Amino acid sequence: MKTRRSFLQKASASALAMSLPAFPMFSLTKESETYFDFQEVKPLRVAIMGLGSYGKRVADAMKDCKRAKLVGLVSGTPSKVESWKKEFGIEDKNCYNYQNFDQIKNNPDIDAVYVITPNGLHKEHAIRTAKAGKHVICEKPMATTAADAAEMVSVCEQAGVKLLIGYRMHFEANTLEVVRKRKAGEFGEIKFFQGLSGFIIGDPTQWRLDPVLSGGGAMMDIGIYSINGARYMIGEEPLWVTAQEVKTDPVKFKEGIDETITFQMGFPNGVVASCLSTYSMNYLDKFFLNGTKGFAEMQPSTGYGPIEGRTHQGPLTNPHVTHQTTQMDEMAAMILDGKQAEIPVDGREGLKDMKIIEAIFEAVKTGQRVDLV
């Protein structure tokens, strides 16, 4: 419906345009472009929970965001809070520890909390965030069990807040180009997918090698990329999994921490995805998709970038943008504007990966094929 206000806004804009000098648009300076901004775009105001190395990576990337802004911190380490406050200009009133965090519900200056704590703490921290009335962005894997993931989804839905999972690759330009080509039929009928994900893990005392905090080893950390990648590259959900584990260092990779797992996933269209997840080999970051009319090969396929690859039509040439910058701007648009991601990043997407991971662990344990319901 046309309103008097909208009419006046358009009339004012037309009058302003007519009154400006007749210079071509390309002659305007960057500063003068703001002259045409009639309405300031609201940013998503984010607090980061967990000020570790990846939290720092996200915070640095957000400096270049257009729609997301870092405004709050949550940490159990006072020294980190102090140094981050100075570096990122965070106000004291937006800083919390794990004891007083629930008071964030009374802070109108924070819209969402990005949970970047160890996997085993995701459920607790996400649920506390949701109950405080704040939107939840949770790093992957979203939990350590499918049951916990399902509870997170339920609580967020009941609280009326968004639950988004940190699938940064779902916004990466070359990845999206391959998915669009597959949807357009440019690869023909998909026949095969291979995903290789791994690196040699370092410090044996880190939380990633603690079964309680990590919920598993390489599969939870790096293997999830091949699981998730197979799903969006093939465009279907797997029906079954088989898996085999190799453990060469039972001291470093104790009970509950997988070192290397090869696994297979069967899809409705007959495609079998052959994948590897490991903590004991480097140079493994590769996706390969094969179809009757063409192929896509990406290496590196999920690293921090640049993502490189080619198809039967030639190289993928989209410019590299810091993944976390794009992710946070896109998630801001999802939360604030209701935008839909081309590849889902919601809690139910994360729950699907958790169910597959549990099935892979079961297949390793039993030596049998495990069907996915």
Side-chain angles (χ1 to χ4, degrees), residues 167-195:
Y167 289 116
R168 58 187 168 81
M169 302 312 303
H170 293 203
F171 305 107
E172 195 277 322
N174 283 329
T175 300
L176 287 174
E177 182 177 344
V178 171
V179 170
R180 289 165 186 157
K181 287 178 179 294
R182 187 260 300 158
K183 288 181 177 179
E186 294 181 28
F187 303 127
E189 182 182 353
I190 302 302
K191 291 294 187 180
F192 176 74
F193 174 82
Q194 181 186 49

Side-chain angles (χ1 to χ4, degrees), residues 75-219:
S75 175
T77 307
S79 59
K80 286 186 178 180
V81 173
E82 287 304 312
S83 63
W84 280 52
K85 277 168 51 180
K86 294 177 182 177
E87 180 173 355
F88 297 101
I90 308 299
E91 298 182 60
D92 287 335
K93 66 183 182 64
N94 291 344
C95 297
Y96 300 87
N97 56 45
Y98 297 114
Q99 287 70 46
N100 66 14
F101 169 70
D102 302 291
Q103 296 175 16
I104 199 172
K105 67 182 179 181
N106 301 317
N107 190 335
D109 295 334
I110 295 174
D111 303 312
V113 176
Y114 195 159
V115 177
I116 316 181
T117 50
N119 307 338
L121 302 175
H122 286 180
K123 173 190 170 183
E124 174 197 344
H125 293 158
I127 287 177
R128 288 175 68 182
T129 298
K131 289 184 174 180
K134 306 299 181 181
H135 298 291
V136 182
I137 303 171
C138 183
E139 194 45 45
K140 62 190 178 305
M142 66 181 291
T144 56
T145 68
D148 284 354
E151 185 176 350
M152 291 163 64
V153 171
S154 177
V155 170
C156 288
E157 288 179 349
Q158 292 172 14
V161 300
K162 295 278 190 182
L163 171 58
L164 305 178
I165 311 302
Y167 289 116
R168 58 187 168 81
M169 302 312 303
H170 293 203
F171 305 107
E172 195 277 322
N174 283 329
T175 300
L176 287 174
E177 182 177 344
V178 171
V179 170
R180 289 165 186 157
K181 287 178 179 294
R182 187 260 300 158
K183 288 181 177 179
E186 294 181 28
F187 303 127
E189 182 182 353
I190 302 302
K191 291 294 187 180
F192 176 74
F193 174 82
Q194 181 186 49
L196 305 176
S197 301
F199 63 92
I200 297 176
I201 197 165
D203 181 7
T205 66
Q206 65 180 281
W207 68 262
R208 288 177 178 82
L209 297 177
D210 181 327
V212 175
L213 290 177
S214 66
M219 184 61 66

Side-chain angles (χ1 to χ4, degrees), residues 258-280:
D258 51 283
E259 177 185 352
T260 301
I261 294 179
T262 54
F263 60 98
Q264 303 76 40
M265 297 182 285
F267 291 80
N269 58 6
V271 174
V272 173
S274 177
C275 303
L276 172 68
S277 165
T278 185
Y279 263 164
S280 60

Side-chain angles (χ1 to χ4, degrees), residues 13 18 25 28 30 40 78 91 120 140 177 205 208 219 225 248 254 285 294 296 301 304 308-309 329 346 373:
M18 292 176 64
M25 287 301 294
L28 296 175
K30 183 175 180 61
E40 183 178 352
E91 298 182 60
K140 62 190 178 305
E177 182 177 344
T205 66
R208 288 177 178 82
M219 184 61 66
Y225 284 99
T248 63
K254 48 188 164 291
D285 183 10
S301 58
Y304 293 139
E308 298 179 1
D329 271 341
D346 58 279
V373 178

